[in-house]
Amino acid sequence: MPKFILKVTDECAVNDVESADVDCFILSTLLSPSYLKRQILQIEAAGKIALLAGENAAVLAVELGADGIVADLSASTSIKKDMASLRRVLGRRFLGVVCRGRRHEAMVVSENEPDFIIFRIWREGAEKTQELIDWYTAFFLLQTAVEPMDKYVDFSAYPADMVILSPEDHKILVAKK
């Protein structure tokens, strides 16, 4: 069973930092800085990882003391340059990268050594994403995460180390067990 990363985009979202199957939280930079700081401290106190995602995530991660960021480079035409720029700001903090669902981009991202790579899954095209992730995990040693983009995706068949869910979807999944 993979570990879970909870993606928090709402200040009202319940994020159970004590849940044993949740190792990491992705906090949206659209949330207020004071909320982000409180959540980062709470997550840190629980021994978990706090990442930021969104506009100016790298700068905010340094300012607020987050463990790193998730960068969506799925539309980037200069992945190597973008990752190098983020690394300069982040220093030794974590860098997770959302990758376009194609082999070439997955290879380019991997060559630039993120801490983990994220593949998004939509119901339409899920078979192609499954093939990509199967291929990727056979050739690369980087940790992988999948992020289901609609409620109809069965992520259990994907060979990922981590699954990114909203706190609400995680709560529903845990209740079904």
Side-chain angles (χ1 to χ4, degrees), residues 12-41:
C12 296
V14 176
N15 51 15
D16 183 10
V17 297
E18 301 303 324
S19 182
D21 63 348
V22 176
D23 285 342
C24 180
F25 294 83
I26 300 172
L27 305 170
S28 170
T29 59
L30 295 175
L31 299 168
S32 73
S34 62
Y35 177 81
L36 289 172
K37 185 63 177 175
R38 284 193 313 274
Q39 290 303 302
I40 291 167
L41 291 172

Side-chain angles (χ1 to χ4, degrees), residues 11-117:
E11 289 190 20
C12 296
V14 176
N15 51 15
D16 183 10
V17 297
E18 301 303 324
S19 182
D21 63 348
V22 176
D23 285 342
C24 180
F25 294 83
I26 300 172
L27 305 170
S28 170
T29 59
L30 295 175
L31 299 168
S32 73
S34 62
Y35 177 81
L36 289 172
K37 185 63 177 175
R38 284 193 313 274
Q39 290 303 302
I40 291 167
L41 291 172
Q42 183 181 7
I43 293 165
E44 181 182 85
K48 311 266 174 131
I49 298 169
L51 305 175
L52 300 182
E55 195 170 326
N56 298 317
V59 171
L60 277 172
V62 172
E63 288 176 5
L64 298 175
D67 296 303
I69 69 165
V70 168
D72 184 350
L73 299 183
S74 61
S76 175
T77 57
S78 55
I79 294 169
K80 183 176 181 175
K81 179 181 167 190
D82 292 343
M83 287 182 68
S85 175
L86 290 168
R87 282 281 186 214
R88 279 192 295 281
V89 174
L90 291 170
R92 299 183 61 82
R93 287 178 169 77
F94 291 110
L95 174 59
V97 176
V98 177
C99 179
R100 190 176 307 165
R102 297 195 310 218
R103 285 184 181 192
H104 176 73
E105 283 81 1
M107 286 189 300
V108 172
V109 167
S110 297
E111 289 167 357
N112 288 280
E113 300 179 357
D115 294 293
F116 64 98
I117 188 168

Side-chain angles (χ1 to χ4, degrees), residues 2-7 26 97-99 116-122 126 129-134 136-137 143-150 153-166:
K3 290 291 188 172
F4 292 96
I5 298 173
L6 298 190
K7 188 173 188 177
I26 300 172
V97 176
V98 177
C99 179
F116 64 98
I117 188 168
I118 300 166
F119 296 99
R120 289 184 171 149
I121 310 167
W122 285 266
T129 306
Q130 174 79 51
E131 290 171 11
L132 172 65
I133 296 171
D134 287 342
Y136 184 85
T137 57
Q143 289 200 333
T144 58
V146 293
E147 182 177 8
M149 299 306 288
D150 63 50
V153 173
D154 178 13
F155 58 81
S156 65
Y158 292 81
D161 301 297
M162 301 164 282
V163 177
I164 300 171
L165 296 174
S166 70

